[in-house]
Amino acid sequence: RAETPKSCSSGDNAFSPNSTNGGNPSYAFLGGLIGKSGVSALHELCSKYRWDMPTYNLIEPQSALNTNKSDKGIGNGSISYGTSHDFVLSVHVNGNELGRGRGGTKAAAKQDSSRKALA
């Protein structure tokens, strides 16, 4: 027989409609991370739960994928995935890839991969 969960007597916990977070359950998980950069939020989350710190790996500069086999760049083996200055980074926590980010600089790609890992 399953028991019915008991209600909290305080009435103002993280999941209560009367709490300052509007009853949003994700606030209890992400509440302290709102307004922080993706990298710092991910580091804080890993520290809080005692996970390994994130590691970032450069997949490859996007310019390596921009190869034109034809003069016109249309069809005939043309590959173009973005500007010639994009970087792609992956972020790993506890050996698991959590996200890949793209950016015009390595720092921008790092922020993008961190935000995707948190999503």
Side-chain angles (χ1 to χ4, degrees), residues 1 7 32 37 41 54 56 61 63 76 83-84 102 105 109 114:
R1 181 181 134 190
S7 63
S37 73
Y56 298 88
S63 61
N76 297 333
T83 67
S84 62
R102 179 183 314 268
T105 63
S114 296

Side-chain angles (χ1 to χ4, degrees), residues 42 54-60 87-93 95-103 106 109-114 116-117:
L42 185 59
T55 57
Y56 298 88
N57 300 319
L58 180 65
I59 302 298
E60 62 184 277
F87 292 91
V88 179
L89 267 72
S90 64
V91 60
H92 298 262
V93 175
N96 297 315
E97 183 178 320
L98 299 181
R100 286 188 181 203
R102 179 183 314 268
K106 288 180 185 176
K110 186 176 181 179
Q111 286 294 334
D112 189 43
S113 64
S114 296
K116 288 180 179 176

